[in-house]
Amino acid sequence: MDNGMTQAPLSVAGLGVEFSDFRAVRDVSFDVRHGESFGLVGESGSGKSTILRAIGGLAPISHGTVRFRGEPVRATRSRAFRRAVQMVFQDPYGSLHPRQTVERQLSEPIRILGLDDRMDRIRQAIEQVGLNASFLYRFPHQLSGGQRQRIAIARALLVQPEILLLDEPTSALDVSVQAEVLNLLMDLRETRGLTYLFVSHDLAVVGAMCERILVMRNGEAVELLTGDQMRSGRVSTDYARQLLRASEGYQPGITRREAG
Amino acid sequence: MTDISTGAFERIRTGLPSSPGEARLAQAWRGWQLLRASPAALTGLAIILALLLVALFAPQLAPETPYGQALDRQLVPPSWDHPFGTDEFGRDVLSRVINGARYTLYIVVLVAVIAAPVGLLVGASSGYLGGWIDTLFMRITDIALAFPRLILALAFVTAFGPGLNNAIIAIALTGWPPYVRIARAEALTMRKSDYIAAVELMGASRLRIILVHVVPLCLPSLFVRMTLDMAGVILIAAGLGFLGLGAQPPAAEWGVMLSNGKEYLLSGWWVATFPGLAIFFVCMGFNLLGDGLRDILDPRHEA
Amino acid sequence: MQDHLLDIRNLRVTFATPAGPNEALRGVSFAMGREKIGIVGESGSGKSLTGKSILGLTPGRASVTADRLMFDGQDMLTMPPRQLRQIRGRRIGLVMQDPKYCLNPVKTVGRQIATAAIAGRGMTMAAARAETVRVLRAVQISDPERVMRAYPHEVSGGMAQRIMLAMMVVCEPDLLIADEPTSALDVTVQLEVLALLDQLITARGMGLIFISHDLRLVSQFCDRVIVMYAGRIVESLAANQLHNAQHPYTRGLMNCLPAIDHKPGQRLPVLKREASWITE
């Protein structure tokens, strides 16, 4: 039991992901500590989402290992892994089945894992994400983007996981909705003691959510930062510095000189 | 408590239902609203409903039995007594056309029941699973698609012997490849989608994903294609009947009637014309309904 | 007042839906000169629709009305369709969010720009080719000859957006409408494209309508900011006066963005929407 608390619930060592002739991720290693929120940040093509998918079993692990509670995961993930690790996807329009009611979609994890008290669990989950039972029998196209993402989070929470893999959960949402969903994620983490692996291209969002951040580029890890280091701009690589500056937005004088 | 039903109706109408049953009704209501806006689809629906009713109540609707020969009234032209006239054996053509609806419905339903599920399952599995299964299934489908449908049906019927049931089996056996193609195309677009990934992540079995998540999304386009195909099925069945390879005389099947009538085209035009018109209207009905359903069910039309 | 480049009064767009008419734009009015204007709002605010209705790109089932729609002293409401098309093609340009959807996938980049030059400025083929090389250089593409021969799928997202800018620039419009021109790009590339856009606009003295969801970016890039909510303009102010914004929606939009030095775990301020914003 003691071992379970000190050991990293999720660790990645020398991870490589290859698709036919393309190496999406190369030799990436990190540990996610119990109860922390670990950020993966980078631009498109940096491999950050692919790492999440490889951990979840949605992308092949070509090299290295992914360990869950110290044990390397197998190609077919164990039942314990399925219950403990859940994922929230970027696009709330694509991550819900378009022709199933909310109730039907939320029932699915319970049915697959053969749990009881289906309706109680569903009601509890939907209230936890700030919605109510009146949403249960609607179809995704009747919901706003923020509501959909809340449903997707509710679906991930249903099986009471320990670790949430969050793949750009707010980048498809309006900024005001983003704030609400980020607050919800912070609340859930505190009340349920969840561990997050949070992927985003937005440094400010990662900064608000994460204690440690791994900067990625072209499938490789560039720099591991603490949240404090990032916020105060104490970074050692050029790329991290460049990202930080870009996140401050457009500054006519500076940017023009550089571009020209 | 009296306003429970009106409350439920309001929830269904506004698309904010409060139980699974109401959710389904709300979907149906929305479909009906869309269908109602299209006169062509409504016409098609009316024709198909008429076919259904006529087939169901054929014995009650037909003025005479379709097989009652009366050699004293051969080839009587249309009149008040015999609105569609009589044929070479003095049988009432109207009664035979009405009874023919039963054959047509029988053929259409059986072909749909045999060909569509096979096509759906093969296509959905093929598209979702990919890999060698996909290659194998698709090559078989390609081979089947390479044969002209009527010729292949002819070959089947010649091999198994003429008859209505063999004709249906032949049509069904030649009818599944387009459904495989459609179901596979739909499944392919879903394969990489996040909602499928989400259930994969929960550890759903492949069979469950295909049956519960992939198949329902293939259904709308399959249903449209099936409706549009039915006209072709009726034509092939009638063609086989006409060639003497489908339903056999004296069956009141429209193709058979057409075949008999062709001998008397000059002396008794009505014998062939009315079954021909029946085939024409039913085919048109299926086509109109199919077009209308495509407009409703195809999400690309929703803007 | 009369030398406004664009002057819009009471622009309304209504969609006919089975549930009755749905008013998506409810009386939008603004006037602009050769300046950079940002239109900001969330999804459904009508910001994109405003740009589209200026260009006449609204879908067929939309009905567009306005009390005034003047472009460079000409009344676009009473203009014959032919003349309207000429203005919309040549004098008002459009850059959209995803360049990959706006470029023809089966024609080379060079051909598409040249076609725009021939159609827009009546150039000969040879002159159009030379012009194509020139504008590709102008958008800082270092090897224009190679890019001209490429097909859209062979270039990166940032490159494709530069090509879109080149295609727009070749027509030398007076007004450019840019609808989320950099939202599909990575942050570092985004800034390069913005810098380029800024240069082109300044060098040619064009007017710009920059449509975006990103209030901070717009305030850094534009001279003036128009904030839209539910089909209406709720506030219009100089970009450097944004911190003095009066409307709670504008202030809410600014506050709910996490800053880079936001403390982890600290809750973000959320926007409390008031029903009165829709009418007032």
Side-chain angles (χ1 to χ4, degrees):
Chain A
M1 223 28 230
D2 184 46
N3 192 27
M5 294 305 280
T6 51
Q7 186 179 54
L10 198 64
S11 75
V12 169
L15 178 68
V17 179
E18 287 175 18
F19 299 107
S20 53
D21 56 345
F22 170 64
R23 300 173 74 184
V25 175
R26 274 173 283 189
D27 193 26
V28 173
S29 308
F30 60 87
D31 291 334
V32 182
R33 295 173 193 153
H34 184 84
E36 85 168 328
S37 176
F38 187 90
L40 288 174
V41 71
E43 298 185 296
S44 56
S46 64
K48 56 192 192 302
S49 293
T50 310
I51 292 178
L52 276 202
R53 297 181 85 88
I55 292 172
L58 300 171
I61 298 173
S62 316
H63 303 284
T65 49
V66 171
R67 284 170 197 276
F68 168 63
R69 295 176 184 158
E71 293 289 316
V73 296
R74 282 168 301 166
T76 308
R77 302 287 187 272
S78 65
R79 195 182 143 84
F81 181 91
R82 304 269 187 220
R83 278 207 69 166
V85 184
Q86 284 292 319
M87 186 157 170
V88 176
F89 296 86
Q90 170 176 13
D91 180 8
Y93 292 87
S95 67
L96 298 181
H97 195 288
R99 286 188 189 262
Q100 290 178 353
T101 60
V102 169
E103 183 257 350
R104 185 76 192 68
Q105 320 222 15
L106 295 182
S107 298
E108 200 58 14
I110 303 176
R111 291 203 172 121
I112 291 169
L113 289 165
L115 308 177
D116 46 9
D117 304 328
R118 191 168 58 88
M119 282 319 283
D120 287 343
R121 282 175 191 269
I122 290 178
R123 290 229 167 77
Q124 201 191 338
I126 203 162
E127 274 157 24
Q128 232 161 14
V129 296
L131 300 176
N132 58 51
S134 73
F135 287 90
L136 282 180
Y137 300 100
R138 295 191 198 170
F139 288 89
H141 66 83
Q142 294 173 306
L143 307 175
S144 70
Q147 288 168 345
R148 285 169 187 233
Q149 200 58 301
R150 283 169 191 267
I151 298 291
I153 294 171
R155 177 176 62 187
L157 291 177
L158 267 173
V159 297
Q160 287 159 338
E162 294 164 27
I163 304 171
L164 278 193
L165 309 176
L166 299 154
D167 187 4
E168 304 242 20
T170 60
S171 66
L173 305 176
D174 276 325
V175 283
S176 64
V177 182
Q178 163 172 292
E180 291 168 15
V181 171
L182 290 180
N183 286 350
L184 170 68
L185 288 171
M186 294 182 205
D187 291 345
L188 289 171
R189 188 173 152 222
E190 279 177 18
T191 55
R192 302 185 59 158
L194 293 167
T195 302
Y196 286 167
L197 182 51
F198 193 105
V199 162
S200 179
H201 69 280
D202 190 328
L203 262 69
V205 167
V206 171
M209 295 296 295
C210 304
E211 286 92 46
R212 291 194 303 150
I213 297 135
L214 184 66
V215 180
M216 304 229 7
R217 184 186 203 183
N218 296 334
E220 288 173 349
V222 174
E223 188 173 359
L224 181 66
L225 298 167
T226 66
D228 282 340
Q229 281 173 331
M230 198 193 76
R231 279 183 287 278
S232 55
R234 282 180 285 125
V235 298
S236 53
T237 55
D238 281 346
Y239 182 66
R241 204 166 293 124
Q242 205 183 329
L243 272 187
L244 265 180
R245 200 178 311 129
S247 75
E248 274 158 31
Y250 183 73
Q251 291 138 312
I254 301 167
T255 326
R256 191 176 302 163
R257 236 190 347 265
E258 278 181 6
Chain B
M1 291 304 269
T2 48
D3 57 12
I4 273 186
S5 59
T6 57
F9 181 72
E10 196 52 37
R11 289 197 295 274
I12 290 163
R13 213 173 55 81
T14 51
L16 301 172
S18 67
S19 73
E22 282 183 19
R24 270 191 291 277
L25 282 175
Q27 283 291 88
W29 173 259
R30 194 168 143 266
W32 168 242
Q33 294 289 96
L34 289 166
L35 192 71
R36 221 170 51 168
S38 154
L42 271 190
T43 315
L45 186 67
I47 294 175
I48 305 308
L49 280 179
L51 173 76
L52 265 170
L53 289 175
V54 168
L56 207 60
F57 297 109
Q60 286 76 28
L61 286 171
E64 295 179 15
T65 144
Y67 304 111
Q69 300 190 3
L71 295 177
D72 56 331
R73 52 165 213 211
Q74 294 172 337
L75 296 176
V76 176
S79 66
W80 282 115
D81 285 343
H82 304 285
F84 289 5
T86 62
D87 67 4
E88 73 275 25
F89 297 110
R91 295 174 295 200
D92 182 40
V93 176
L94 176 62
S95 306
R96 287 176 67 76
V97 169
I98 288 175
N99 272 276
R102 296 196 140 183
Y103 283 99
T104 302
L105 200 66
Y106 179 68
I107 295 165
V108 160
V109 168
L110 270 184
V111 169
V113 164
I114 300 170
V118 173
L120 180 60
L121 281 182
V122 172
S125 331
S126 193
Y128 172 66
L129 297 173
W132 65 268
I133 295 178
D134 185 33
T135 314
L136 179 73
F137 281 166
M138 290 326 287
R139 289 303 83 79
I140 295 173
T141 310
D142 285 343
I143 293 168
L145 269 175
F147 291 100
R149 201 169 172 195
L150 184 61
I151 309 280
L152 200 59
L154 277 176
F156 273 117
V157 178
T158 327
F160 297 132
L164 185 62
N165 287 333
N166 282 350
I168 291 171
I169 293 170
I171 296 170
L173 282 178
T174 55
W176 57 270
Y179 302 137
V180 173
R181 284 266 168 207
I182 287 179
R184 177 176 177 267
E186 294 282 337
L188 272 180
T189 62
M190 281 172 245
R191 187 170 152 196
K192 295 284 167 215
S193 72
D194 285 347
Y195 53 86
I196 296 294
V199 281
E200 279 176 359
L201 205 71
M202 294 166 198
S205 66
R206 289 173 169 192
L207 186 69
R208 187 183 177 90
I209 293 175
I210 292 172
L211 290 182
V212 178
H213 299 277
V214 178
V215 161
L217 280 173
C218 300
L219 278 178
S221 47
L222 197 82
F223 198 60
V224 168
R225 176 65 198 244
M226 222 164 76
T227 315
L228 288 170
D229 261 6
M230 284 310 141
V233 167
I234 292 169
L235 283 180
I236 292 180
L240 288 174
F242 183 84
L243 294 170
L245 296 168
Q248 296 298 309
E253 195 265 331
W254 293 341
V256 174
M257 294 164 70
L258 208 58
S259 167
N260 288 345
K262 73 174 188 292
E263 315 263 336
Y264 311 100
L265 214 51
L266 293 178
S267 51
W269 55 267
W270 54 89
V271 182
T273 305
F274 288 107
L277 280 177
I279 294 173
F280 168 77
F281 276 112
V282 170
C283 290
M284 189 176 78
F286 275 114
N287 277 330
L288 288 177
L289 182 65
D291 275 341
L293 286 178
R294 181 169 52 200
D295 291 346
I296 294 168
L297 296 176
D298 193 336
R300 276 159 290 197
H301 282 270
E302 284 172 28
Chain C
M1 278 302 276
Q2 80 273 39
D3 52 349
H4 283 311
L5 184 60
L6 183 70
D7 189 357
I8 297 175
R9 290 282 161 79
N10 198 18
L11 176 66
R12 285 171 187 274
V13 176
T14 310
F15 288 95
T17 68
N22 173 23
E23 218 175 18
L25 283 188
R26 304 179 299 138
V28 169
S29 308
F30 67 92
M32 64 179 288
R34 292 178 184 272
E35 58 182 328
K36 289 182 284 183
I37 283 214
I39 301 184
V40 183
E42 296 189 291
S43 47
S45 62
K47 57 185 192 300
S48 290
L49 196 59
T50 304
K52 281 183 181 148
S53 34
I54 296 169
L55 281 160
L57 291 176
T58 46
R61 59 210 164 75
S63 83
V64 183
T65 62
D67 294 348
R68 184 191 283 179
L69 190 52
M70 300 277 276
F71 175 75
D72 205 11
Q74 293 165 289
D75 190 349
M76 290 171 80
L77 289 173
T78 56
M79 202 176 275
R82 217 180 104 83
Q83 205 183 340
L84 204 56
R85 275 200 302 278
Q86 284 190 347
I87 285 203
R88 280 170 175 163
R90 293 179 199 175
R91 301 199 55 199
I92 308 181
L94 175 70
V95 177
M96 302 233 272
Q97 175 169 1
D98 200 334
K100 297 257 166 179
Y101 288 117
C102 304
L103 293 169
N104 186 337
V106 296
K107 284 185 179 169
T108 60
V109 165
R111 221 186 130 103
Q112 294 187 54
I113 300 177
T115 309
I118 293 167
R121 284 165 54 192
M123 287 183 165
T124 62
M125 191 66 207
R129 271 190 67 85
E131 181 68 6
T132 304
V133 176
R134 198 183 65 77
V135 292
L136 283 178
R137 283 231 167 79
V139 294
Q140 291 162 13
I141 288 174
S142 51
D143 46 356
E145 299 287 345
R146 186 186 66 80
V147 173
M148 276 172 76
R149 284 193 303 273
Y151 286 91
H153 66 92
E154 295 170 325
V155 300
S156 68
M159 181 74 90
Q161 199 58 296
R162 284 161 203 252
I163 291 166
M164 279 306 293
L165 283 179
M167 201 138 108
M168 177 279 301
V169 168
V170 81
C171 298
E172 296 190 331
D174 296 290
L175 173 64
L176 178 66
I177 299 177
D179 190 352
E180 305 267 8
T182 58
S183 305
L185 306 176
D186 279 329
V187 274
T188 46
V189 184
Q190 196 173 358
L191 295 188
E192 289 170 24
V193 172
L194 282 177
L196 189 60
L197 184 63
D198 202 354
Q199 273 181 354
L200 293 171
I201 299 283
T202 316
R204 284 157 206 256
M206 289 188 246
L208 171 74
I209 298 181
F210 189 99
I211 299 168
S212 173
H213 67 283
D214 191 336
L215 182 56
R216 199 178 50 172
L217 184 68
V218 164
S219 69
Q220 289 163 335
F221 187 75
C222 296
D223 308 319
R224 204 143 64 82
V225 181
I226 289 172
V227 183
M228 287 188 69
Y229 181 77
R232 280 158 28 104
I233 294 176
V234 293
E235 191 159 19
S236 168
L237 68 175
N240 54 16
Q241 291 302 307
L242 205 60
H243 53 275
N244 292 330
Q246 294 302 307
H247 200 280
Y249 179 66
T250 315
R251 291 217 298 268
L253 270 191
M254 276 199 302
N255 293 337
C256 63
L257 267 178
I260 194 76
D261 52 0
H262 188 93
K263 283 195 193 66
Q266 185 190 354
R267 302 300 183 268
L268 295 155
V270 295
L271 195 58
K272 296 233 172 10
R273 286 155 207 276
E274 308 279 341
S276 61
W277 296 354
I278 292 173
T279 47
E280 276 164 20

